[in-house]
Each structure stands twice: as structure tokens, then as C-alpha cells.
Amino acid sequence: MSVFIKLVENRPPKEYAELTAADVSYEDVTEGESPATYEYDLLPSGALRILRATKGEAAVVESIYAPGLWFRVQGQWRGSTE
């Protein structure tokens, strides 16, 4: 399953009346020699961490979003061990 994130968009104050959000998607790689899936977890600070997991290898951090930058996420939850 892929991970989909809704981000809070930074805008000048005069544009606050037009509420919009940016979308970011991390699509799973199913073809090729090294298929990978994207998962997410939350750090104690509220930061959203996107992980790339390849079969037989440890997951690696792909991206981190600050707590005030994102407001919704969908996808495979990994769970934080930290």
C-alpha cells in the first residue's frame, strides 16, 4: 500500500480565506529487482516519518514532515520503536 499525505500549505495572510492543501504520495514499487513499500510512523514530537521498506532489508527513512506541516495521512502504519 502506498502512503498519501495532506499537507498544510504556507500562504501569505491575504490568501487564508482560500483554504487549500497540498498532496504528497509515495507509491509502492512493485516491479523490478527490488520491490519496495512505503510505510509511515509518528515520532514522539508529532513528526511524520515516511519509511521505504525493501524485502529482506531494514527500512530506511525517506522523508520527515514537521508536526505543523501535515494534517492527515493514509497508508500502512509501521509503528515507532523509538
Side-chain angles (χ1 to χ4, degrees), residues 35-57:
T37 58
Y38 287 95
E39 303 169 342
Y40 73 93
D41 66 2
L42 295 173
L43 299 176
S45 66
L48 173 67
R49 186 166 66 168
I50 306 301
L51 305 161
R52 181 182 171 105
T54 305
K55 188 175 181 178
E57 296 181 20

Side-chain angles (χ1 to χ4, degrees), residues 13 15 24 29 46 52-53 62 64 76 78:
E15 297 176 6
V24 177
V29 179
R52 181 182 171 105
E62 183 78 14
I64 296 178
Q76 179 67 37
R78 185 171 185 89

Side-chain angles (χ1 to χ4, degrees), residues 4 13-14 17 79 81:
F4 176 78
K14 68 179 182 172
T81 58

